[in-house]
Structures are given as structure tokens and as C-alpha cells.
Amino acid sequence: MNSSGYEDAAPAEDAEELPAAEKELAEDAPWKKIQQNTFTRWCNEHLKCVNKSIGDLQRDLGDGLRLIALLEVLSQKKMGRKHH
């Protein structure tokens, strides 16, 4: 307990104490970034014919509109419904 009567928070874990899954994720980070950039470029290559682009996958595909545009380009078919 500290002077205010509360227990101090547990110290942050050291890198050596991280669980195996978290270590693997940390070690894969550069590879995952390369994959993300490669997929983003691939999407943008297909989307340029409809004058759209993706900068951030999570943000730009989040509302589904660019994803629908990508699917329409790849399938060469229009979706039958209006999208908001």
C-alpha cells in the first residue's frame, strides 16, 4: 500500500515476460506491415478505374463503400442495391 491507502499498480511486464503469442505478434509486425502495404497497393490498382483509392485499410474499408466498389470491379458486375 502507498501513503494514500491504495495498493500500487503492478509493474509493467518486461519483454521477456510476454506470453508467447504476444512475442510472436511483436516479431511479425514488420511482415504484417509489408502485407498490409502490398494489399493496399493491389486494391488501389483495381480501384483506380473507378476513381477511388484506399489510404488506410481499416478506415477506408470500414463503411463498406470502397469494398463494394472493389467487389464490383473484380466481379465486373454492379451490386443490385443502392448503398448509403
Side-chain angles (χ1 to χ4, degrees), residues 1-78:
M1 278 193 197
N2 61 22
S3 61
S4 64
Y6 295 101
E7 289 186 28
D8 291 329
E13 292 180 334
D14 292 329
E16 293 104 26
E17 295 175 10
L18 289 175
E22 288 184 30
K23 280 185 186 178
E24 187 176 321
L25 287 175
E27 292 169 0
D28 283 350
W31 177 82
K32 289 176 183 175
K33 188 67 175 168
I34 291 168
Q35 291 295 318
Q36 182 178 1
N37 290 339
T38 301
F39 183 66
T40 302
R41 283 193 308 270
W42 179 83
C43 289
N44 284 332
E45 187 63 30
H46 289 286
L47 287 172
K48 71 181 179 183
C49 66
V50 291
N51 296 321
K52 295 187 186 283
S53 67
I54 293 173
D56 177 86
L57 286 172
Q58 187 172 2
R59 185 188 72 231
D60 293 341
L61 296 179
D63 65 2
L65 297 177
R66 286 189 185 97
L67 181 58
I68 290 169
L70 180 62
L71 292 173
E72 288 178 344
V73 169
L74 294 174
S75 68
Q76 297 179 345
K77 295 179 182 176
K78 288 285 184 189

